[in-house]
Amino acid sequence: MLKLHFAPNSRAQRSLWLLEELGLPYELNRMEFNPKDLKSDEHKARHPLGRIPVLDDGDVSIFESGAIAEYILERHKNGGLKPAVDDPLYPEYLQWFHYCEGMVMPPVNTIVVHTLLLPPERQDETVRGQAQRLLTRALAPVNEAMEGREYILGDFSAVDTMLGHAIYMSNRLGCVTDEMTNLKAYVSRLETRPAFQKAMSA
Amino acid sequence: MLKLHFAPNSRAQRSLWLLEELGLPYELNRMEFNPKDLKSDEHKARHPLGRIPVLDDGDVSIFESGAIAEYILERHKNGGLKPAVDDPLYPEYLQWFHYCEGMVMPPVNTIVVHTLLLPPERQDETVRGQAQRLLTRALAPVNEAMEGREYILGDFSAVDTMLGHAIYMSNRLGCVTDEMTNLKAYVSRLETRPAFQKAMSA
């Protein structure tokens, strides 16, 4: 049985969302997103820095949400929700999957730190402003690539649980502008999916 | 023929290093790491934000160094330098591959911005200090995982061109401490590899 170590409002939502989309059975270890749970000795034995998600699968224990997605797709669904290597969409799948952590999430993290996590007196408006501009720039190519598409590759795929989650987060942080009409419609579309709703409300 | 759009002192070194390790034929478009080259109309047609690396392969054009690595391994070497899905090392390969961009590179980027890229009056010592502490913490689990190993998975693999490059960068920025003896030895070992030397001096 797959066991997902989870906390709300985190990248662990991506993993839960994917498990739900695939209809895989799993057990959930739901923790709170605070040091008491995440920095406990018990959880630090799973992840040395006390981060989530972590996925257990028998003897295997693996962290990093991108790695967990690939692991699930390859070991448990044999490429479900992922284009085959010879599929014309395969390069684009890889590109956007990695664009998520490479380009979108670093400014998202900075904005979260300087709006929600740091106490007000340690929040830096200059740093936050730079991150907001960087994020807007990083989102623009995704908005453009989604012209005429319902999901990132056209049909729903695992890349939506990665980059789609990052765009949903960006929108909550107010960084998807009204001009990014494709991304606004995309977020609305994601919000109607039962698997997404389950992951976001867990 | 594969064509790599490249600039020195960037993530494009990862892609060049992998091509060299695999002995694949390629053409190199070497640009300078400055706006004149990277933000030119010509290059922005390849990458909307003017980033590198970009890989061309016939009709395919793909960016993000992690995506390029996976693309090359799957389309051109059928899993060379990458464990098979049923290999016991496969989960660890995925984990460290994604840990590179998720945990190590964000503070590396912040440090580079606040030591090398911004003019001195805009460099922020507080921001840099936070990033340095974050990076040291992110490197510790890698140092531990490498106990008794020559490369990240034991034998050399594509994950060394990703996370190994990030650790090499971290060391150049002074963030691999003397106590991280496994990482110090690892960097020295990487530096002896001809493919690494070619990528770093291109």
Side-chain angles (χ1 to χ4, degrees):
Chain A
M1 171 74 93
L2 297 171
K3 181 171 185 175
L4 181 66
H5 303 280
F6 174 93
N9 286 313
S10 76
R11 285 173 171 83
Q13 291 174 318
R14 299 170 173 176
S15 310
L16 180 55
W17 181 11
L18 182 61
L19 289 167
E20 284 288 333
E21 292 283 358
L22 292 167
L24 289 170
Y26 61 87
E27 187 185 337
L28 197 68
N29 171 27
R30 189 190 183 286
M31 292 175 282
E32 292 302 326
F33 194 84
N34 65 35
K36 185 175 158 288
D37 283 11
L38 298 183
K39 309 298 181 191
S40 65
D41 289 345
E42 189 182 5
H43 190 60
K44 281 180 124 177
R46 296 178 198 119
H47 191 307
L49 303 173
R51 302 290 186 119
I52 31 106
V54 177
L55 183 77
D56 297 338
D57 180 18
D59 290 343
V60 171
S61 182
I62 178 172
F63 48 77
E64 284 293 322
S65 61
I68 290 172
E70 287 300 299
Y71 177 88
I72 291 170
L73 292 167
E74 293 297 338
R75 284 254 177 118
H76 290 277
K77 287 298 281 190
N78 197 23
L81 293 182
K82 177 181 172 180
V85 170
D86 58 357
D87 188 309
L89 288 170
Y90 180 71
E92 218 177 332
Y93 172 87
L94 292 176
Q95 175 178 295
W96 295 123
F97 198 97
H98 287 272
Y99 190 86
C100 172
E101 289 303 293
M103 294 298 295
V104 180
M105 286 308 289
V108 165
N109 288 336
T110 302
I111 295 165
V112 168
V113 167
H114 286 275
T115 50
L116 299 171
L117 299 186
L118 284 177
E121 68 275 13
R122 291 184 54 206
Q123 294 178 12
D124 186 321
E125 211 170 312
T126 309
V127 171
R128 186 172 59 222
Q130 284 166 344
Q132 285 166 333
R133 287 189 294 279
L134 197 60
L135 180 55
T136 302
R137 280 203 298 275
L139 293 175
V142 189
N143 185 64
E144 196 173 318
M146 289 198 66
E147 182 66 33
R149 291 181 172 191
E150 295 221 333
Y151 295 101
I152 296 175
L153 300 185
D155 291 332
F156 185 84
S157 74
V159 78
D160 294 295
T161 68
M162 292 288 294
L163 184 56
H165 182 261
I167 288 167
Y168 167 77
M169 297 275 286
S170 303
N171 190 51
R172 279 181 61 187
L173 294 168
C175 293
V176 175
T177 65
D178 288 340
E179 292 77 53
M180 296 184 182
T181 51
N182 296 332
L183 296 190
K184 286 284 188 194
Y186 176 53
V187 169
S188 302
R189 209 170 285 128
L190 294 179
E191 286 172 339
T192 66
R193 296 183 74 87
F196 176 87
Q197 290 166 5
K198 187 142 184 194
M200 297 307 137
S201 62
Chain B
M1 171 73 91
L2 296 170
K3 181 171 184 174
L4 181 66
H5 303 279
F6 174 93
N9 286 313
S10 77
R11 285 174 171 81
Q13 292 174 316
R14 299 170 173 176
S15 311
L16 180 53
W17 181 11
L18 182 61
L19 290 167
E20 284 288 333
E21 291 283 356
L22 291 168
L24 290 170
Y26 63 87
E27 187 185 336
L28 197 70
N29 171 27
R30 189 188 184 288
M31 293 175 282
E32 292 302 326
F33 193 84
N34 65 36
K36 186 175 158 288
D37 282 10
L38 298 183
K39 311 297 182 192
S40 66
D41 289 345
E42 189 182 6
H43 189 60
K44 280 179 124 176
R46 296 179 198 120
H47 191 306
L49 304 174
R51 302 290 186 120
I52 32 108
V54 177
L55 183 77
D56 295 340
D57 180 20
D59 289 344
V60 172
S61 182
I62 178 172
F63 48 78
E64 284 292 323
S65 61
I68 289 172
E70 287 300 300
Y71 178 87
I72 291 171
L73 292 168
E74 294 296 338
R75 283 253 177 118
H76 289 277
K77 288 299 280 192
N78 197 24
L81 293 182
K82 176 182 171 179
V85 170
D86 58 358
D87 189 308
L89 289 169
Y90 180 71
E92 218 178 333
Y93 172 88
L94 293 176
Q95 175 178 292
W96 295 123
F97 198 97
H98 288 271
Y99 189 86
C100 173
E101 290 303 292
M103 294 298 295
V104 180
M105 287 307 288
V108 165
N109 288 337
T110 302
I111 296 166
V112 168
V113 166
H114 286 275
T115 49
L116 299 170
L117 298 185
L118 284 178
E121 68 276 12
R122 290 184 56 208
Q123 295 178 10
D124 186 321
E125 210 170 315
T126 309
V127 172
R128 186 172 60 221
Q130 284 166 346
Q132 285 166 334
R133 286 188 294 278
L134 197 61
L135 180 55
T136 302
R137 281 202 298 275
L139 293 175
V142 190
N143 185 62
E144 196 172 320
M146 288 198 67
E147 182 66 33
R149 291 182 172 191
E150 296 221 333
Y151 295 100
I152 295 175
L153 299 184
D155 291 333
F156 186 85
S157 74
V159 78
D160 295 296
T161 68
M162 292 289 294
L163 185 55
H165 183 261
I167 289 167
Y168 168 77
M169 298 275 287
S170 302
N171 190 51
R172 279 181 61 186
L173 294 169
C175 293
V176 175
T177 64
D178 289 339
E179 292 77 55
M180 296 183 181
T181 51
N182 295 332
L183 295 190
K184 286 285 186 192
Y186 176 54
V187 170
S188 301
R189 209 170 285 128
L190 294 178
E191 286 173 339
T192 66
R193 296 183 74 86
F196 176 88
Q197 291 167 4
K198 189 144 183 190
M200 298 307 138
S201 62

